[in-house]
Amino acid sequence: MEALQIYNSLTRKKEVFKSITPGYVGMYVCGPTVSGESHLGHARPYITFDVVNRYLQHLGYKVRYVRNITDAGHFEEEGREAEDKISNKAFLEKLEPMELVKKYTDLFHWGMKEFNTLSPSIEPTATGHIVEQIEMIKKIMADGYAYEVDGSVYFDVEKYNRDFSKKDLPYGILSGRVLEDMQESSRELENQEEKRNKVDFALWKKAPAKHIMRWMSPWGEGFPGWHIECSAMSTKYLGKEFDIHGGGMDLQFPHHECEIAQSAVCNDKIPARYWMHNNMITINGRKMGKSYNNIIKFTELFSGNHPMLDQAYHPMVIRFFILQTHYRSTLDFSNDALKAAEKGLRRLMEGFETLGILNVESPENAADATLDKKVRSLITEMDDFMNDDFGTAKVLANLFELVPVINGIKDGHIKKDAISQSTMELFKKQMQLYVEDIFGLKKVSEHAGEQLNGVIQVLIELRKEAKTKKDFVTSDRIRNELAALGILLKDEKGGNVSYQFE
RNA sequence: GGUCUUGUGGCCGAGUGGCUAGGCAGAGCUCUGCAAAAGCUCCUACAGCGGUUCGAAUCCGCUCGAGACCUCCA
């Protein structure tokens, strides 16, 4: 098995992953801004990094996974009126800002649970780390890389770039931008007279009179700038240098670029070794995002209550849909694609379930050496695919190739002794590992309770009897009426009957 | 305008220069009282034009198309 390789946005190539402290991984992922309901686009990074987290744990690492909650509302649009979007919306909804933040945080957590993501080890909030942020800003100022103007503090990008380029840490190192080009090309924005340079960014903003969210600082009442929370909190919980920093591609610039600059001043190094950026979910070829007005919220997705949705989609279908694509590719949303995912997932999960209850008499040596070898190779390849920058799509392809083998053994056209015992054990172990433990997939349809299951079994027995008597009117009636209720009976090869809910 | 990414069969999507990705849909067959499920088989594409190479979806150039970032964004 080859070592895990991760595509590092910083170096723009795949690199062998080596953690700073052997056996441990520190990973920071930019979390949601809880000023509104999460949408499908948000599902991608959290599901992607959930799998990264699970896989690293599988590899034996003890992972400290930190994912923040941005609840401190930063300036909405710098160029226009600096305003706190959280407090602004609170006025509209007549809620206290913290009430609003709580509501959307809870909704976010609910969504994450629906997607079956594991909780991060630490989930720090920006409002809970105002002190740390202020301390960091003070340090940046003391070092001469920030200046105060009328209660606001800005990062001096030009000076930083001049000095840190000598240390091979120019501004733009992550996104590949050249400062001079940006100064020429960046758009002319209003209300920037406070800044010495238009590329400078805010570390602390003075709170306007109507601003509700405000904290005392050495520079007066205000609120922290957009980027400082991640620098402060990642440093606090993961140290000056940690292993993986993740987030959506749209955060690469300026957010992560600014984080690097802030941390470089304070800690003299790039905060993370490996920078991972997931690509966007698009809808009709366009990025799903607030600005495009094309978002589908979790609640709408799960209920089907949205003009663009033909039907409701189960969270597991979304999860599967996302894993079917490599995380660095764009993923285009469409009803057709999700419906295909729904069917595919069902087939995979049924195969997985069948494997668990398969009654085989595996011999020492496989009766069908070719098949045995094929199964083995499909299984072992999965680790290689994952180690190649988390190739979940390819792993799924292999899992699908194994499904006919499972069904074949069940149906009996593959003999029970075709596969050796050791291969069979590996087969079961790896299916379990990938389907549930690493990919976090669960069966969509719920199981019937004891009672309902009993009732269905009675009907199945009655139908079997009817069939034996060639009373097809009765047998078809049972089947059709159950089907009308969404319970699908499936006659299997050996005379068994299984059912599924639609 | 600057920086970058991308263009794969009906749809969604893997693809490291040479070997059938896979899923969904569709067609045929097997099983079956019928249907469904399941199994087997088929549908073999890489925007266009050049170039490099024994060989290119994969590398290079040009043309056309799409998108992202440069402003809050996952």
Side-chain angles (χ1 to χ4, degrees):
Chain A
M1 192 168 103
E2 300 195 4
L4 172 63
Q5 289 197 46
I6 295 180
Y7 179 86
N8 191 349
S9 305
L10 186 64
T11 56
R12 268 157 261 232
K13 57 179 191 240
K14 282 183 203 168
E15 295 173 356
V16 171
F17 178 74
K18 225 176 150 234
S19 70
I20 294 166
T21 309
Y24 293 82
V25 171
M27 176 164 80
Y28 188 93
V29 174
C30 290
T33 301
V34 285
S35 61
E37 224 185 298
S38 303
H39 60 79
L40 175 59
H42 296 115
R44 193 156 195 203
Y46 307 129
I47 289 173
T48 299
F49 289 104
D50 181 53
V51 171
V52 170
N53 178 29
R54 286 166 181 264
Y55 190 65
L56 288 169
Q57 288 190 32
H58 157 67
L59 291 180
Y61 290 105
K62 186 153 177 15
V63 181
R64 180 177 290 167
Y65 174 20
V66 180
R67 188 181 65 205
N68 64 299
I69 294 277
T70 299
D71 60 351
H74 305 302
F75 39 91
E76 179 87 271
E77 279 176 311
E78 201 173 22
R80 297 183 202 163
E81 203 178 353
E83 56 191 5
D84 180 324
K85 67 182 167 190
I86 288 178
S87 63
N88 210 37
K89 189 121 186 254
F91 275 123
L92 297 174
E93 297 195 11
K94 293 207 169 38
L95 289 171
E96 274 299 314
M98 290 314 282
E99 195 178 354
L100 188 74
V101 157
K102 173 77 165 73
K103 176 180 158 189
Y104 290 125
T105 301
D106 285 352
L107 261 172
F108 171 71
H109 284 152
W110 166 77
M112 288 303 105
K113 208 172 155 67
E114 289 293 302
F115 287 125
N116 197 28
T117 61
L118 301 177
S119 292
S121 334
I122 301 177
E123 195 171 47
T125 60
T127 54
H129 297 75
I130 300 293
V131 172
E132 287 84 351
Q133 295 179 71
I134 289 174
E135 286 307 309
M136 200 158 186
I137 296 167
K138 276 158 78 177
K139 166 89 167 112
I140 296 170
M141 285 184 92
D143 281 17
Y145 293 101
Y147 54 92
E148 183 196 343
V149 183
D150 187 29
S152 293
V153 181
Y154 296 97
F155 190 94
D156 188 339
V157 171
E158 204 164 74
K159 183 176 182 203
Y160 167 82
N161 188 57
R162 205 182 317 124
D163 294 352
F164 281 75
S165 287
K166 293 170 196 156
K167 303 179 186 177
D168 286 326
L169 290 169
Y171 186 77
I173 189 170
L174 178 67
S175 55
R177 277 157 223 269
V178 178
L179 188 57
E180 289 75 41
D181 296 347
M182 287 171 55
Q183 285 169 321
E184 281 168 25
S185 65
S186 96
R187 270 181 268 169
E188 209 53 65
L189 299 165
E190 292 163 37
N191 292 342
Q192 291 210 98
E193 59 273 8
E194 279 192 350
K195 294 187 193 175
R196 288 184 193 162
N197 194 313
K198 57 187 171 186
V199 293
D200 291 351
F201 57 90
L203 294 170
W204 187 265
K205 286 291 277 187
K206 178 182 179 175
K210 64 166 190 175
H211 215 89
I212 297 176
M213 280 202 161
R214 57 206 302 147
W215 292 267
M216 207 43 189
S217 79
W219 318 284
E221 283 194 2
F223 55 96
W226 175 27
H227 317 293
I228 196 74
E229 66 174 275
C230 290
S231 292
M233 299 190 293
S234 65
T235 304
K236 175 161 183 171
Y237 298 113
L238 297 169
K240 292 177 177 176
E241 188 183 29
F242 52 94
D243 297 297
I244 299 171
H245 191 125
M249 241 173 205
D250 47 356
L251 294 181
Q252 192 172 5
F253 188 89
H255 185 56
H256 292 159
E257 196 68 65
C258 295
E259 270 186 58
I260 289 178
Q262 291 165 163
S263 291
V265 170
C266 294
N267 305 325
D268 223 32
K269 52 182 80 165
I270 296 175
R273 291 215 176 154
Y274 302 88
W275 292 76
M276 292 178 67
H277 292 99
N278 62 273
N279 214 318
M280 302 290 106
I281 287 183
T282 58
I283 183 158
N284 296 324
R286 168 155 259 126
K287 172 184 164 183
M288 183 178 286
K290 272 176 263 182
S291 358
Y292 295 118
N293 234 339
N294 60 359
I295 58 166
I296 302 175
K297 297 167 181 167
F298 290 169
T299 46
E300 295 167 336
L301 207 52
F302 303 162
S303 68
N305 185 22
H306 188 282
M308 292 184 104
L309 298 176
D310 290 354
Q311 60 168 81
Y313 297 101
H314 192 278
M316 273 308 118
V317 172
I318 307 295
R319 187 174 174 110
F320 175 80
F321 175 63
I322 286 171
L323 295 180
Q324 251 187 324
T325 309
H326 190 264
Y327 75 92
R328 282 191 287 113
S329 301
T330 53
L331 173 56
D332 199 49
F333 164 90
S334 72
N335 280 286
D336 285 347
L338 277 179
K339 284 177 198 167
E342 186 175 51
K343 289 187 183 171
L345 175 64
R346 175 182 288 173
R347 190 169 134 81
L348 176 66
M349 294 314 286
E350 280 180 9
F352 171 62
E353 208 174 48
T354 303
L355 180 67
I357 54 171
L358 217 49
N359 183 22
V360 286
E361 301 135 21
S362 303
E364 286 277 321
N365 297 306
D368 186 341
T370 314
L371 182 68
D372 192 86
K373 203 176 154 197
K374 186 187 159 196
V375 168
R376 239 170 210 285
S377 121
L378 284 169
I379 288 167
T380 49
E381 266 181 346
M382 292 194 244
D383 296 329
D384 295 331
F385 293 156
M386 281 305 276
N387 284 337
D388 186 8
D389 197 29
F390 307 97
T392 56
K394 296 182 91 175
V395 173
L396 281 174
N398 276 25
L399 288 173
F400 272 107
E401 288 203 61
L402 289 166
V403 168
V405 177
I406 297 168
N407 288 330
I409 295 171
K410 182 189 177 193
D411 280 359
H413 84 266
I414 292 176
K415 297 212 172 64
K416 286 181 191 291
D417 62 355
I419 294 171
S420 75
Q421 196 189 341
S422 62
T423 302
M424 202 64 207
E425 275 169 20
L426 188 68
F427 192 176
K428 288 189 178 183
K429 195 177 130 218
Q430 290 291 99
M431 278 296 273
Q432 167 66 38
L433 182 70
Y434 275 99
V435 174
E436 285 195 330
D437 302 345
I438 295 175
F439 286 180
L441 297 171
K442 291 193 296 197
K443 209 174 176 209
V444 166
S445 62
E446 281 151 41
H447 283 277
E450 285 280 312
Q451 286 179 312
L452 179 55
N453 181 52
V455 172
I456 295 171
Q457 291 306 334
V458 169
L459 289 166
I460 287 173
E461 283 309 312
L462 288 174
R463 178 160 168 274
K464 273 189 194 167
E465 286 170 24
K467 279 174 75 175
T468 315
K469 292 183 214 153
K470 301 224 183 279
D471 177 6
F472 298 123
V473 175
T474 304
S475 70
D476 285 355
R477 186 177 162 197
I478 292 171
R479 187 177 66 198
N480 294 339
E481 293 193 4
L482 282 178
L485 291 169
I487 300 166
L488 207 68
L489 296 187
K490 298 192 286 192
D491 293 330
E492 293 172 4
K493 279 259 167 85
N496 274 341
V497 180
S498 64
Y499 65 89
Q500 84 182 26
F501 293 103
E502 289 220 283

